[in-house]
Amino acid sequence: MTTQGAAEHAPTTASSTAGPISSGADTPDTGLTADQVAERTAAGRTNAVDTRSSRSVWEIIKANVLTRFNAILGALFVLILITGSIADGLFGLILVANSLIGIVQEVLAKRKLDRLALLNAPITRVVRDGVVVEVPTAEVVQDDLVELRSGDQVPADGFVRSGDGLELDESNLTGESDAVGKRPGDEVRSGTSVVAGIGRFEAAQVGPDAYANKIAAEARKFTRAHSEIQSSVNTLLKYITWVIVIALPLQIFSQARVVGDQGWRQVVIRSTGGLVGLVPEGLVLLTSVAFLLAAVQLTRKQVLVQELPAVEGLARVDVVCLDKTGTLTVGDIAFEDIHVIGDPRGNDDGVGEDELRCALGALADDANANGTLKAVAASIDPPDGWDRIATIAFNSARKWSAACFTGRGTWILGAPDVLLVEHDPLRERVSELARTGRRVILLASSARASLDGPTLPEDLVPEALVTLTEQVRPDAAETLKYFADQGVAIKVISGDNPQTVAAIAQRVGLPIDTSTRSETGLPIGVVDARTLGTDPQELREVAKETIVFGRVSPEQKRALVRALQAQGHVVAMTGDGVNDALALKDADIGVAMGNGAQATKSVAQLVLLDGKFSHLPDVLAEGRRVIGNVERVANLFLAKNVMSLIAIITAAAFALPFPFLPRHLTLVSAVTIGIPAFFLALGPNKRRYIPGFLRRVLRFAVPAGVIAGVVVIVSYLLANLHYGVPKGQFSSRCAVPEGLKTVADHACWQPGAGATVALLTTFFWILLVLARPLRPWKLGLIGAMILIAVLAFAVPIGREFFNFDLPSGLFWQSFAVGVGGALLVELVYRTSKEIRETHHVAD
């Protein structure tokens, strides 16, 4: 019991915030029969709701296969197959492999996530055919007779049929932490939990009709975590699509004009070579895989990711809104101390503290103990020689319990405002303790050896004030300090008493000075939300200045989140109660505790399965890793796209064949972009989130791509001066005869081989720049890619496959052009302080 909440501010029950529960059938005490259960199940009157934690297999396949770029590459692949040049269709196999990797990775992750969700599915005890059985909560049907015991969650809405000391914690609905007693005929709501006693209720409204699930359904609407990465990538893809649409006729026209006399096959092959380079085929895949593997990694730390972009989202958060109960505290109270009052009867010595502890232990040694007595029992063992002869169980209407013990009289434990007379000076002491956030109860004694029903003895003597505190999560203070060090602001938004919330906030290290108070009597930075409205615009200023909000309604929680968002903040909301669900839905990132209400877990993007707040830094670290690494690989892909566009435009302007065959670009893409990007996307990255993902990518990738495009054309033009086939002999020596896949004269491809060397040199330097800071594993990765590229030129089968013919003079000439490009790339990197700072971070 608190001394403040019950009498002064009666808790708002669920029935006051929702419509009345409509009565169902009058189920007999033996419960439903098997036939009745089957009939209701067939009619869909069950407690099942859709709370999928991942996409279906078909949705996964569609997302990875049916994309615009797969369609473009697929069409180009078909054209290459028609020409008969299978080697130039290698990109098609990579396309299939990429899609398969994405599908397999996501299906495996889906199974893991769904299995975790299933393992955390709750069960419920119901009476059927006169027997109490356990069934999955989703299989509870309308009119079921549900049995409730201490610790159970109420799975549906209904009416109490019977009960013995039944008390529910409705803080999930109201935010109030005081237990509410329930008698036969009283309403119960889904999302609440049993804190004391036992009882049975008839389930009148189940599934989507239950109160908690109605809130979840409302909160589920339009909930998708915003991802700056995905939004930026989608913007890039939209523009690249238009570039492809414009470049397609230009490429076909220019290649038809230049190599048309060599036959239509050459036109198709050369045109395809340029267009393949415009497609960032692996960017979307790698982004999805990075999110996915981060989600799987977090499951090992008991974090269920229900929306993949949420991994990135938490890294962008700059304000975290916390509910007190279940987030900062574990939701349970713990015995703290006994404050001996002394004997008011004038004797020199009152009852000693040891005797009082024995009395408390004896009172707590009760099979039907409520939450307060359970907290005492956890700290004080039952004494020997205290034989209970009579008991009056705690009742939330009376607010006290009592017991008689042989030879030791009667002992009473209850709320001070009920047990003390109106003007007792002890009330001031009670208020002082209550203002520190403690719960205060009074231990009193009576000389009477028996109890006359639920009536207080007239000779009641106050013996001690007993203080209890809410158990602060041991990881809360350290986690909040971590967020403070990262520049993330903390707001505590609770439905509980603001004095209590402020005291808890101070205990976990938030800057609350309880010694300095405002005109309202509350500490500075603490607000009683009953003095506020629900308009987000009106709440903007108070949301900015206040740290702790107490007595907050569910609608106000939602409004405060929106007020912070209106100021440009990225807001995360944590909570465990149904009253948190709407705020979690509107927050940029919703985080639910694993032991919280199902309605809350179903709308959250992240669920902390073991309820440990300390996992949030792990999620933040994963988000940073994803953001930083995807930015790196996006630079690689976009630089290749820009390079291809420059090569297409300049080849058309100078009436040149496109410098590369599709197989050449496949090699360059594989060793400088595709394979390295996969490993870089999964590597460590501790860089803090910095806004401007797309702007930074464009600022580096566009000039780097332009440099690479110029390198290609310069190297190709220089090669044409001294190597290859004289221009007048090109058509006769380099045309592909009917029925052959390629020409036998490799000199025809010498300029292309030289351009490939130059492009590889420049792109390997781009890779080195983006991989900084360089670590042994990165150097090993890049070294392996260089070796593969060298083997493609050095090994006969590689030279034959890629049509490489590279005299030493051409190699050194092309390599020198590539080095010049690399130096220009380094200059771009060094002249941009922002790019340098974001790339050069400690892994």
Side-chain angles (χ1 to χ4, degrees):
M1 289 296 301
T2 68
T3 59
Q4 306 173 52
E8 189 179 356
H9 308 298
T12 304
T13 62
S15 57
S16 68
T17 59
I21 301 174
S22 54
S23 178
D26 189 9
T27 305
D29 292 341
T30 56
L32 299 177
T33 65
D35 290 341
Q36 290 173 322
V37 171
E39 175 189 348
R40 286 160 173 77
T41 301
R45 293 154 63 189
T46 71
N47 212 34
V49 291
D50 181 15
T51 56
R52 291 182 303 162
S53 62
S54 57
R55 296 188 288 187
S56 69
V57 173
W58 173 238
E59 288 172 332
I60 292 171
I61 293 173
K62 285 195 300 181
N64 284 277
V65 175
L66 303 181
T67 68
R68 71 179 79 179
F69 291 106
N70 279 4
I72 293 171
L73 285 177
L76 296 176
F77 179 63
V78 170
L79 287 175
I80 288 295
L81 291 181
I82 293 173
T83 68
S85 182
I86 304 299
D88 288 314
L90 190 62
F91 67 88
L93 299 179
I94 295 175
L95 172 69
V96 173
N98 281 346
S99 295
L100 285 176
I101 290 171
I103 292 169
V104 170
Q105 288 279 16
E106 191 162 353
V107 167
L108 291 176
K110 167 188 166 56
R111 290 179 178 176
K112 187 174 184 67
L113 297 178
D114 287 348
R115 187 163 58 249
L116 276 172
L118 181 62
L119 289 174
N120 286 273
I123 60 171
T124 298
R125 283 178 291 273
V126 295
V127 181
R128 292 178 179 173
D129 291 318
V131 179
V132 178
V133 295
E134 290 185 346
V135 300
T137 298
E139 295 180 12
V140 173
V141 300
Q142 190 173 23
D143 304 323
D144 249 331
L145 193 60
V146 180
E147 182 167 290
L148 298 175
R149 302 177 188 173
S150 182
D152 288 349
Q153 272 205 334
V154 179
D157 300 348
F159 296 93
V160 176
R161 290 282 297 274
S162 62
D164 182 7
L166 182 63
E167 293 184 2
L168 299 187
D169 176 3
E170 296 187 338
S171 62
N172 272 345
L173 303 181
T174 66
E176 293 279 1
S177 55
D178 290 333
V180 179
K182 296 292 181 179
R183 296 186 294 272
D186 287 349
E187 293 181 353
V188 295
R189 296 278 185 180
S190 56
T192 59
S193 57
V194 182
V195 294
I198 58 174
R200 291 180 177 180
F201 81 97
E202 182 178 334
Q205 294 174 350
V206 296
D209 295 326
Y211 176 66
N213 291 330
K214 284 181 179 178
I215 291 181
E218 179 183 352
R220 266 290 181 195
K221 297 174 184 176
F222 311 112
T223 57
R224 278 290 168 249
H226 171 73
S227 165
E228 184 186 5
I229 288 178
Q230 289 187 335
S231 177
S232 299
V233 169
N234 288 337
T235 301
L236 281 174
L237 298 183
K238 180 176 68 175
Y239 289 126
I240 290 172
T241 301
W242 284 109
V243 169
I244 292 173
V245 169
I246 296 171
L248 176 62
L250 175 64
Q251 176 76 337
I252 294 174
F253 171 76
S254 68
Q255 297 309 298
R257 184 161 62 100
V258 176
V259 297
D261 56 351
Q262 299 177 38
W264 65 271
R265 288 182 176 83
Q266 282 301 301
V267 174
V268 170
I269 292 172
R270 293 283 184 173
S271 298
T272 301
L275 295 173
V276 166
L278 290 175
V279 182
E281 65 274 7
L283 180 56
V284 176
L285 172 69
L286 278 174
T287 302
S288 298
V289 169
F291 279 142
L292 197 62
L293 295 184
V296 173
Q297 178 69 19
L298 287 171
T299 62
R300 300 190 182 104
K301 299 178 180 178
Q302 294 297 300
V303 179
L304 179 62
V305 180
Q306 303 199 112
E307 292 182 27
L308 294 182
V311 177
E312 171 216 336
L314 193 61
R316 295 187 291 109
V317 164
D318 59 0
V319 176
V320 175
C321 296
L322 307 171
D323 182 33
K324 174 184 70 69
T325 305
T327 303
L328 295 181
T329 66
V330 296
D332 297 328
I333 55 175
F335 170 78
E336 183 190 57
D337 201 1
I338 295 178
H339 304 264
V340 180
I341 296 171
D343 192 348
R345 291 163 290 200
N347 297 332
D348 291 336
D349 297 315
V351 179
E353 182 174 337
D354 290 342
E355 180 78 1
L356 295 176
R357 285 184 175 272
C358 288
L360 271 178
L363 285 169
D365 186 23
D366 185 347
N368 294 315
N370 65 354
T372 298
L373 288 177
K374 287 178 180 177
V376 172
S379 297
I380 302 178
D381 295 329
D384 296 328
W386 287 65
D387 298 321
R388 186 187 295 257
I389 55 177
T391 299
I392 295 180
F394 179 84
N395 180 284
S396 57
R398 286 191 304 269
K399 299 180 183 176
W400 58 269
S401 61
C404 286
F405 301 93
T406 302
R408 301 182 185 275
T410 298
W411 291 85
I412 303 95
L413 190 68
D417 57 333
V418 173
L419 301 182
L420 294 175
V421 297
E422 185 175 354
H423 300 293
D424 193 313
L426 195 56
R427 286 180 174 266
E428 180 58 33
R429 174 64 176 150
V430 170
S431 297
E432 290 177 5
L433 290 171
R435 278 197 292 268
T436 64
R438 295 175 172 86
R439 294 192 179 197
V440 186
I441 52 177
L442 179 67
L443 177 65
S445 65
S446 168
R448 293 180 58 177
S450 62
L451 291 169
D452 185 18
T455 303
L456 285 172
E458 294 181 358
D459 61 340
L460 197 67
V461 178
E463 300 286 0
L465 295 175
V466 179
T467 55
L468 301 101
T469 59
E470 290 194 72
Q471 295 186 59
V472 174
R473 290 186 179 274
D475 54 6
E478 183 179 353
T479 304
L480 293 183
K481 183 179 183 302
Y482 173 84
F483 278 117
D485 292 342
Q486 303 301 312
V488 178
I490 301 296
K491 307 286 182 183
V492 182
I493 303 176
S494 173
D496 214 338
N497 186 290
Q499 295 274 18
T500 303
V501 182
I504 296 295
Q506 187 181 42
R507 287 170 58 188
V508 296
L510 292 180
I512 303 295
D513 183 4
T514 54
S515 64
T516 306
R517 300 185 178 272
S518 63
E519 295 178 357
T520 63
L522 294 172
I524 302 297
V526 179
V527 168
D528 188 327
R530 290 174 301 179
T531 63
L532 307 175
T534 57
D535 185 348
Q537 292 303 317
E538 295 178 359
L539 293 174
R540 290 181 63 169
E541 192 60 32
V542 69
K544 179 180 178 181
E545 301 296 335
T546 304
I547 299 175
V548 171
F549 296 86
R551 302 293 188 198
V552 185
S553 68
E555 293 76 17
Q556 284 178 318
K557 288 189 177 186
R558 189 181 204 179
L560 285 167
V561 167
R562 290 178 173 177
L564 290 165
Q565 289 172 326
Q567 296 173 10
H569 293 293
V570 180
V571 181
M573 175 74 194
T574 72
D576 67 341
V578 175
N579 63 322
D580 300 319
L582 295 179
L584 261 69
K585 175 252 179 180
D586 278 4
D588 297 281
I589 298 296
V591 183
M593 298 297 162
N595 57 351
Q598 187 61 34
T600 309
K601 290 187 285 187
S602 68
V603 303
Q605 286 89 19
L606 301 171
V607 180
L608 307 182
L609 295 173
D610 56 5
K612 290 186 178 179
F613 188 44
S614 56
H615 290 316
L616 286 184
D618 293 330
V619 183
L620 183 68
E622 283 296 318
R624 287 178 173 176
R625 187 180 65 79
V626 169
I627 290 176
N629 289 341
V630 170
E631 183 173 323
R632 286 177 175 177
V633 301
N635 274 290
L636 287 170
F637 283 104
L638 189 57
K640 183 198 76 168
N641 302 146
V642 174
M643 179 277 300
S644 295
L645 181 61
I646 296 299
I648 289 172
I649 293 173
T650 52
F654 287 96
L656 295 172
F658 188 75
F660 304 113
L661 295 175
R663 70 191 79 173
H664 295 159
L665 280 183
T666 298
L667 174 65
V668 174
S669 295
V671 298
T672 66
I673 301 172
I675 299 173
F678 182 82
F679 288 99
L680 288 176
L682 304 181
N685 193 320
K686 298 179 181 179
R687 191 195 82 196
R688 288 193 183 190
Y689 166 73
I690 303 173
F693 173 89
L694 182 57
R695 173 174 50 82
R696 282 194 307 278
V697 169
L698 291 173
R699 184 173 292 180
F700 177 79
V702 170
V706 170
I707 291 169
V710 172
V711 163
V712 166
I713 296 302
V714 169
S715 62
Y716 191 79
L717 289 173
L718 289 175
N720 271 329
L721 293 177
H722 305 291
Y723 299 94
V725 178
K727 192 170 184 180
Q729 302 176 23
F730 197 83
S731 296
S732 60
R733 292 177 59 181
C734 299
V736 181
E738 192 70 31
L740 295 180
K741 297 179 181 179
T742 185
V743 295
D745 192 346
H746 283 190
C748 297
W749 304 111
Q750 284 179 351
T756 303
V757 168
L759 181 60
L760 282 168
T761 304
T762 300
F763 249 94
F764 272 125
W765 197 261
I766 292 175
L767 178 59
L768 276 166
V769 166
L770 295 174
R772 294 174 185 173
L774 297 175
R775 297 286 185 255
W777 72 270
K778 293 180 184 177
L779 292 173
L781 171 65
I782 296 172
M785 296 300 100
I786 293 175
L787 178 61
I788 292 173
V790 170
L791 291 175
F793 286 90
V795 177
I797 190 174
R799 290 199 304 269
E800 188 69 27
F801 181 83
F802 288 105
N803 280 348
F804 284 152
D805 187 74
L806 200 66
S808 61
L810 176 59
F811 168 78
W812 289 111
Q813 173 183 290
S814 301
F815 181 72
V817 174
V819 169
L823 293 174
L824 290 175
V825 169
E826 183 69 22
L827 182 62
V828 169
Y829 172 73
R830 290 186 176 276
T831 54
S832 176
K833 181 180 178 182
E834 181 184 23
I835 296 172
R836 192 168 63 253
E837 287 179 349
T838 55
H839 289 171
H840 195 78
V841 292
D843 291 344

